[in-house]
Amino acid sequence: MRWFDLPAAPGREELDPLLADASDRLVVHGTDADLAAVVLRLLRKNRLADLVVGYVPVAPSPAARLWGLTVGDFERALTAEPRPAALVRDDAGGVLVGSGVIEPITGQVYCDDELVLNGSALTLSVSPDPDAAPLPEPTSDPLSTTLEPATDGLRVTVVRRGLWRRRRDVARGRAAQASFRSATVLRDGVAHPRPVEKWVWYRHTEDLQVAR
């Protein structure tokens, strides 16, 4: 096992030469944003199926909570057997490993065919669903005509202000589509560079192989 010090949320210039030599397993010690940057390059280089990903969070995080990981647990990242985890993408070319957040939000949000928001809410958050079933026929080709579409993969949580306390509603499905007043989307703790009025999250056609 070799270790490399990389900048926060590294890009293809830093990662692609390392991925070219990687085999079997890689371990990310960092933040959810760092992990997302690595997973994005695995997706782009078609390495999701042949590389196990271990994650050692430097602090409690949404991705760590989803996968039951603890800070500093290198042993699990290095030795645990891989288990498939739903990989969520978005229509801005990114991936989501922990949590995507818009707060506050005013607009409409659908999870598959279910209308989960029509108006205002304190927070909209989307995450991979840790209870999603593994894909029976994973493929790196999303346009495959033989692909049976997934029916799960992500979890949508809407938090509204109630009369006495905040109300939390949760929906699960394959995709979430949001149209809203101009707002900033946070992806794994990193703000999208400009405000937007639409956003789509959806399950990728391959799972991430996570040591957990």
Side-chain angles (χ1 to χ4, degrees), residues 80-109:
E81 290 297 315
R83 293 166 54 194
L87 176 58
V88 174
R89 301 177 63 178
D90 62 46
D91 61 347
V95 298
L96 189 67
V97 297
S99 179
V101 177
I102 305 172
E103 58 180 3
I105 181 172
T106 299
Q108 285 190 334
V109 180

Side-chain angles (χ1 to χ4, degrees), residues 44-62:
R44 294 280 185 261
K45 303 300 287 185
N46 289 326
R47 299 297 305 276
L48 291 173
D50 64 292
L51 278 178
V52 176
V53 177
Y55 179 39
V56 184
V58 294
S61 72

Side-chain angles (χ1 to χ4, degrees), residues 134-187:
L135 291 170
E137 297 181 80
T139 175
S140 59
D141 179 14
L143 300 180
S144 172
T145 57
T146 63
L147 185 65
E148 200 60 40
T151 58
D152 59 6
L154 56 78
R155 183 173 61 191
V156 180
T157 303
V158 177
V159 179
R160 299 176 175 88
R161 193 184 305 280
L163 183 60
W164 302 109
R165 60 181 181 179
R166 294 181 176 183
R167 192 181 85 208
R168 184 183 303 269
D169 298 306
V170 178
R172 289 175 167 84
R174 188 196 68 84
Q177 180 173 338
S179 300
F180 45 88
R181 292 179 185 170
S182 182
T184 298
V185 179
L186 291 177
R187 295 188 292 187

Side-chain angles (χ1 to χ4, degrees), residues 40-133:
L40 180 62
R41 294 315 304 163
L42 293 179
L43 171 66
R44 294 280 185 261
K45 303 300 287 185
N46 289 326
R47 299 297 305 276
L48 291 173
D50 64 292
L51 278 178
V52 176
V53 177
Y55 179 39
V56 184
V58 294
S61 72
R65 287 190 290 273
L66 285 174
W67 297 339
L69 305 178
T70 56
V71 174
D73 191 353
F74 284 91
E75 182 176 357
R76 179 182 295 190
L78 290 167
T79 63
E81 290 297 315
R83 293 166 54 194
L87 176 58
V88 174
R89 301 177 63 178
D90 62 46
D91 61 347
V95 298
L96 189 67
V97 297
S99 179
V101 177
I102 305 172
E103 58 180 3
I105 181 172
T106 299
Q108 285 190 334
V109 180
Y110 282 87
C111 180
D112 292 345
D113 295 329
E114 180 183 354
L115 180 63
V116 296
L117 177 65
N118 186 21
S120 297
L122 297 174
T123 304
L124 169 74
S125 63
V126 175
S127 66
D129 186 352
D131 298 322

Side-chain angles (χ1 to χ4, degrees), residues 194-205:
R194 62 184 182 280
V196 294
E197 297 179 349
K198 294 181 180 180
W199 202 267
V200 176
W201 294 271
Y202 58 96
R203 185 177 187 174
H204 183 51
T205 53

